[in-house]
Amino acid sequence: MLRYFVGIVTLIHIGLSKRHPEPYYGTKIGPLQEFAHGIKGTVYAVDESTIFIKGFSYDGTGPDAFFWIGNSPRPSPEGTIIPYPEDYRGRDPPLKAHNNTDIILRLPNGKRIRDIRWLSVWCRRFTVDFGEVFIPPNLEVPRPRVLPEFKRIAHGLRSDNISILDAKTFYIPNLHYDGGGPDAYFWVGNGSDPASFGIKVPNEMGSLEPLRSYLGEDIEIQLPGSLTVYDIDWLGVWCVQCRQNFGHVMIPKDLDVPPALGQTKISPPWWYNPTTTTPVPAPTNCREFLDKRLQVRWMIKDDQVEITLSANIREGRYMAFGLSGVHGKAHMVGADVTVAYFDKNSRSFHADDYYISNFSQCDGKSGVCPDERIGGRNDVVVLHGEVENGITTIKYSKPLHTNEAINDRAIPEDEPVSVIAAFGPLNSRMEASGHSAKDKTVVDQQINFGDLYDNQCTLRPDQIPAADGIVPWPAAKIIGETVFHVKIGPTGGARGYSKITGLSSWGICYYINDKLIPELTVERGQTYIFVVETGEYNTNPARYHPLYITNSKEGAYGQLTGESRRNQEIYAGVDLDSEGRPRPTAVGRYCEWAHKSIDKSMESETFEDYLRTLRVECDEGEPAYLNWTVPMDAPDLLYYQCYVHLNIGWKIHVVDPGYISEQNGSANISKTSTIKISPLVYIFTTIISTETIIRSIYKSL
Ligand SMILES: *[C@@H]1O[C@H](CO)[C@@H](O)[C@H](O)[C@H]1NC(C)=O
Ligand SMILES: *[C@@H]1O[C@H](CO)[C@@H](O)[C@H](O)[C@H]1NC(C)=O
Ligand SMILES: *[C@@H]1O[C@H](CO)[C@@H](O)[C@H](O)[C@H]1NC(C)=O
Ligand SMILES: *[C@@H]1O[C@H](CO)[C@@H](O)[C@H](O)[C@H]1NC(C)=O
Ligand SMILES: *[C@@H]1O[C@H](CO)[C@@H](O)[C@H](O)[C@H]1NC(C)=O
């Protein structure tokens, strides 16, 4: 019996510990056999289309040698080159000398290891085999592992089945997330569920910025540092500020995935359209300037640099980008910039070469002048222009070197150089005139024009904020109503909650009578009914936001303990359970204004426009009623807040009886009179209401 038991334990143990002894390079194919030129190295199958050679050596003296694969019985002229190093221009440079180099080879044209019989170092011109290894038939190669999809918990997070491509890389197809969390990240860690103890994982661009919204994108992310999938129990999306899991997937223990040798390149960003002729995605350099209001992409092509500027500028305004006047700082005088804009008169896109000799408008000799006005030439050529979703994108080319010594500065091809950027208005000659301090780069930013993969952009072009600043929606107010329907909804990004309150939020807040955190006005002595549909199950904190009334600007009474509770007074929505512990009472079914797609607050001029991009979704169940008679001694300012979370609600202005009808005239009296209670009743209610009792309990504590 005991032996039997031990046997099972051993089996399970073996099943769980597939982790390979380090270092692991995949399935060993064998050593390269040398025939000439000092060929050495051990060959491994990393995954079905990737080969790794540990310690490759070759003296580099063959004139026309390549890595060469085929499926004839022996290496022969019938083969295919494996390009090495991979070159985005699709060229096949002959193999250079190597001394103990580790090499990753990606099989070209979708070929898999099972499709080939040998790998050789082959001299094409003289059809000579310098060295070879044979692939055993039926070789088992490590494979990616398919996991379930993200569990859907909050903020519209969902995906299709996630894959582990290698020991560090996840592939997340069809990712959706409304972008509403204030600081949500890909997050990994140990334990049965995501928790605050975790590690941030960079997004698909390698950035650690809070996650943007996703609308069905396929992305790849890589674990940071030396972390591998064998070190973690889950991958999730976690909101740090609100300590909230938006959704996650568990990582099985019995993994056997390809090693992470760098064979899995992070996929190019969605806007990149890899051409069919080049096996490797073309270069993607992108940087954000001016608080992310300007995106600059670039790429050197022969003796030109092609630059694409994207910004949400209005007609009659320009965006400018170019070399700073002084290396090592942002300096206008001496700068060589391109001013790009849409000319509404000619309905055409322009990019003009400027030289800035002085900090003033161009007077024909000096100042901020187009080269053409000061005896030079406009070397900039517009390649493409478009305005989409309010974003103006202009692509132009500029020579790296010109022979205009005075007005043009040479663009270094392979070293960092300081650049500047600006927005501003165009004058009547369609020339750049002055800009405000916030519309130019003030800190030194350097880029290397020769880079191939310097992509640091975090926003999709359609998410670029308006260049002229964000116009908030006006704060909503409700006055003269006595029934308040409370639901949950998104905060409306930079135009909504945070602009109105000056506080940060975790992406959701109360909606009352279909308005975003309206300021309520209530009269002392009057009874108000809150119809609360903000969640009833405290087992799911993301969907549990009981409303209560307090003097606290932040709320979250339930998070407080001991001493700090005394600083908050409660006016309604909390009573004591049988053991004398406070508990929220306004617990009703959960109704949420959910995004029909991603957050559209940036594109919505008004809150009403924004509301049309949302739809109400309600769980089964009944609303909770919180009937509140405003005490005669209530202070002038109170708040409706969430018992569980900080910063979900907003202000209640408390006024004396009769104030509202005075303000509103007679028009609203009939509306409110149906719910008005006779003075005798409300005094009675005030005296015996639980809220008042609780309030006095807390006061006496
Ligand atoms: C390769 O590198 C080793 C160590 O750096 C050195 O000793 C050896 O001479 C080199 N071989 C060749 C062929 O350059
Ligand atoms: C996706 O994951 C689910 C749950 O693990 C699984 O049942 C299903 O087979 C997976 N689908 C694919 C295409 O692998
Ligand atoms: C999780 O636990 C394992 C084993 O105890 C450990 O090796 C690993 O580093 C832990 N991972 C994290 C992310 O803390
Ligand atoms: C810029 O203009 C001011 C007055 O307009 C002049 O005093 C100054 O010398 C000029 N600077 C340069 C670098 O031309
Ligand atoms: C609150 O008022 C509504 C409407 O008058 C009533 O239906 C409900 O029963 C009241 N609830 C409580 C708890 O008093």
Side-chain angles (χ1 to χ4, degrees):
M1 181 63 196
L2 186 67
R3 270 176 55 189
Y4 178 64
F5 185 70
V6 168
I8 286 180
V9 169
T10 315
L11 261 180
I12 291 171
H13 190 71
I14 289 167
L16 287 182
S17 56
K18 279 271 179 85
R19 186 172 196 162
H20 300 271
E22 298 290 334
Y24 176 59
Y25 306 120
T27 310
K28 188 168 175 177
I29 295 173
L32 281 165
Q33 186 182 358
E34 189 212 341
F35 300 125
H37 293 294
I39 300 292
K40 277 199 197 62
T42 311
V43 182
Y44 297 82
V46 177
D47 61 32
E48 60 174 21
S49 58
T50 311
I51 285 174
F52 177 70
I53 309 179
K54 179 75 193 153
F56 178 69
S57 298
Y58 162 55
D59 67 14
T61 56
D64 195 31
F66 299 93
F67 288 115
W68 187 249
I69 50 171
N71 62 4
S72 50
R74 297 203 56 79
S76 72
E78 265 168 64
T80 308
I81 289 175
I82 311 182
Y84 186 85
E86 284 182 284
D87 187 302
Y88 72 91
R89 296 178 189 90
R91 296 181 302 207
D92 299 327
L95 203 49
K96 295 206 177 79
H98 287 274
N99 183 1
N100 202 19
T101 318
D102 294 343
I103 280 178
I104 292 173
L105 298 175
R106 239 177 293 270
L107 304 193
N109 312 328
K111 278 198 171 27
R112 289 158 305 180
I113 289 177
R114 74 171 101 111
D115 302 328
I116 60 173
R117 290 212 225 170
W118 43 261
L119 164 72
S120 148
V121 178
W122 180 264
C123 179
R124 190 169 52 176
R125 194 173 319 155
F126 298 103
T127 62
V128 182
D129 188 2
F130 293 165
E132 66 185 19
V133 66
F134 287 89
I135 318 284
N138 307 320
L139 185 78
E140 284 281 335
V141 302
R143 284 168 183 285
R145 171 75 175 259
V146 180
L147 307 178
E149 54 174 59
F150 272 135
K151 192 171 165 191
R152 305 173 182 193
I153 296 182
H155 280 298
L157 183 77
R158 62 192 164 89
S159 69
D160 290 348
N161 286 32
I162 293 166
S163 297
I164 299 178
L165 298 184
D166 65 37
K168 292 182 79 67
T169 311
F170 290 95
Y171 172 65
I172 309 175
N174 196 21
L175 175 65
H176 289 259
Y177 164 54
D178 70 19
D183 63 343
Y185 304 95
F186 294 115
W187 194 250
V188 293
N190 278 337
S192 59
D193 259 326
S196 313
F197 295 105
I199 294 172
K200 260 186 216 173
V201 180
N203 69 14
E204 75 281 9
M205 314 260 205
S207 157
L208 285 170
E209 297 265 325
L211 292 184
R212 60 183 174 88
S213 54
Y214 293 89
L215 186 59
E217 288 161 52
D218 301 341
I219 65 159
E220 280 169 30
I221 57 172
Q222 266 174 354
L223 296 175
S226 59
L227 208 59
T228 71
V229 292
Y230 299 99
D231 302 323
I232 57 174
D233 290 337
W234 42 258
L235 162 72
V237 172
W238 176 264
C239 176
V240 171
Q241 239 174 59
C242 39
R243 297 164 167 240
Q244 177 61 48
N245 175 22
F246 292 166
H248 67 285
V249 65
M250 298 304 293
I251 314 293
K253 283 288 138 208
D254 61 340
L255 292 175
D256 185 13
V257 294
L261 303 175
Q263 78 278 16
T264 322
K265 271 232 180 72
I266 289 285
S267 54
W270 68 278
W271 63 77
Y272 216 84
N273 198 0
T275 55
T276 46
T277 48
T278 53
V280 182
T284 58
N285 299 299
C286 184
R287 288 282 191 90
E288 288 161 334
F289 294 87
L290 299 162
D291 306 323
K292 310 194 176 192
R293 292 177 295 158
L294 176 69
Q295 281 193 357
V296 178
R297 301 205 174 75
W298 74 90
M299 171 179 161
I300 288 183
K301 263 210 174 151
D302 304 325
D303 56 352
Q304 306 269 325
V305 57
E306 293 183 357
I307 295 176
T308 305
L309 305 182
S310 302
N312 185 344
I313 49 170
R314 283 185 280 128
E315 282 183 1
R317 293 181 63 85
Y318 66 84
M319 46 193 175
F321 173 77
L323 299 189
S324 171
V326 175
H327 184 66
K329 64 181 181 190
H331 199 73
M332 277 199 42
V333 171
D336 178 6
V337 301
T338 301
V339 171
Y341 58 93
F342 176 69
D343 178 357
K344 62 175 187 283
N345 300 319
S346 62
R347 312 302 301 168
S348 57
F349 294 90
H350 293 257
D352 299 334
D353 203 1
Y354 273 58
Y355 184 75
I356 303 176
S357 62
N358 206 334
F359 200 90
S360 59
Q361 273 213 28
C362 186
D363 62 5
K365 286 198 212 69
S366 75
V368 180
C369 289
D371 288 9
E372 282 182 335
R373 280 248 277 152
I374 46 174
R377 203 178 49 218
N378 184 17
D379 300 303
V380 174
V381 177
V382 174
L383 301 174
H384 175 73
E386 64 179 39
V387 180
E388 213 177 300
N389 301 321
I391 309 292
T392 302
T393 296
I394 298 176
K395 180 173 182 182
Y396 59 87
S397 68
K398 188 174 179 5
L400 295 170
H401 305 277
T402 67
N403 42 24
E404 277 188 46
I406 299 175
N407 305 330
D408 286 317
R409 300 192 34 219
I411 297 172
E413 268 180 81
D414 201 18
E415 64 190 57
V417 61
S418 298
V419 291
I420 59 172
F423 295 125
L426 293 160
N427 65 18
S428 55
R429 305 178 61 134
M430 300 309 271
E431 283 174 8
S433 42
H435 44 68
S436 66
K438 79 172 178 43
D439 284 339
K440 68 169 196 211
T441 305
V442 285
V443 295
D444 181 35
Q445 282 218 51
Q446 303 193 356
I447 65 177
N448 183 339
F449 282 92
D451 274 340
L452 292 184
Y453 294 101
D454 179 14
N455 185 346
Q456 298 183 18
C457 286
T458 56
L459 297 180
R460 278 194 339 229
D462 63 306
Q463 296 175 317
I464 297 174
D468 303 331
I470 298 157
V471 183
W473 300 318
K477 294 186 165 54
I478 297 181
I479 178 161
E481 289 175 38
T482 54
V483 182
F484 303 125
H485 292 271
V486 188
K487 297 181 172 65
I488 292 295
T491 46
R495 281 191 149 139
Y497 181 95
S498 52
K499 263 286 192 285
I500 294 168
T501 64
L503 304 169
S504 62
S505 76
W506 64 288
I508 58 160
C509 63
Y510 286 133
Y511 279 43
I512 298 186
N513 296 355
D514 303 345
K515 294 183 159 71
L516 182 108
I517 50 160
E519 294 182 19
L520 309 180
T521 301
V522 300
E523 282 185 359
R524 295 187 176 89
Q526 174 70 272
T527 297
Y528 295 87
I529 300 171
F530 288 84
V531 184
V532 184
E533 296 174 308
T534 60
E536 52 188 327
Y537 303 111
N538 62 7
T539 46
N540 185 353
R543 291 163 84 88
Y544 184 62
H545 311 289
L547 177 137
Y548 75 117
I549 293 168
T550 170
N551 64 350
S552 162
K553 197 176 179 185
E554 297 191 311
Y557 188 78
Q559 289 186 14
L560 304 178
T561 49
E563 194 63 21
S564 49
R565 286 200 160 170
R566 281 186 218 166
N567 300 329
Q568 225 188 82
E569 270 191 53
I570 291 174
Y571 286 82
V574 183
D575 68 8
L576 299 178
D577 68 12
S578 55
E579 287 163 24
R581 284 184 305 235
R583 66 167 180 211
T585 58
V587 289
R589 67 170 183 174
Y590 186 77
C591 286
E592 177 175 0
W593 285 94
H595 295 292
K596 288 177 186 163
S597 62
I598 55 172
D599 191 274
K600 299 266 196 210
S601 53
M602 279 303 176
E603 298 98 301
S604 304
E605 289 279 308
T606 64
F607 174 72
E608 289 65 37
D609 292 345
Y610 184 59
L611 201 62
R612 279 191 281 276
T613 70
L614 311 175
R615 65 166 167 260
V616 175
E617 291 170 1
C618 289
D619 288 352
E620 298 272 297
E622 295 294 321
Y625 288 87
L626 175 66
N627 300 356
W628 179 45
T629 302
V630 185
M632 293 308 284
D633 64 350
D636 291 345
L637 181 59
L638 290 174
Y639 296 86
Y640 53 95
Q641 297 287 13
C642 170
Y643 186 81
V644 185
H645 300 98
L646 291 168
N647 302 353
I648 303 272
W650 195 225
K651 289 177 181 171
I652 304 177
H653 299 286
V654 181
V655 295
D656 281 334
Y659 174 88
I660 292 175
S661 47
E662 260 169 47
Q663 293 287 304
N664 282 13
S666 54
N668 274 324
I669 289 186
S670 59
K671 206 170 161 190
T672 56
S673 61
T674 48
I675 314 177
K676 224 165 205 159
I677 302 171
S678 82
L680 198 72
V681 175
Y682 75 64
I683 290 168
F684 179 72
T685 325
T686 311
I687 291 168
I688 65 143
S689 76
T690 351
E691 290 86 42
T692 319
I693 296 169
I694 290 209
R695 198 146 58 88
S696 38
I697 296 172
Y698 294 139
K699 273 182 172 166
S700 65
L701 277 174

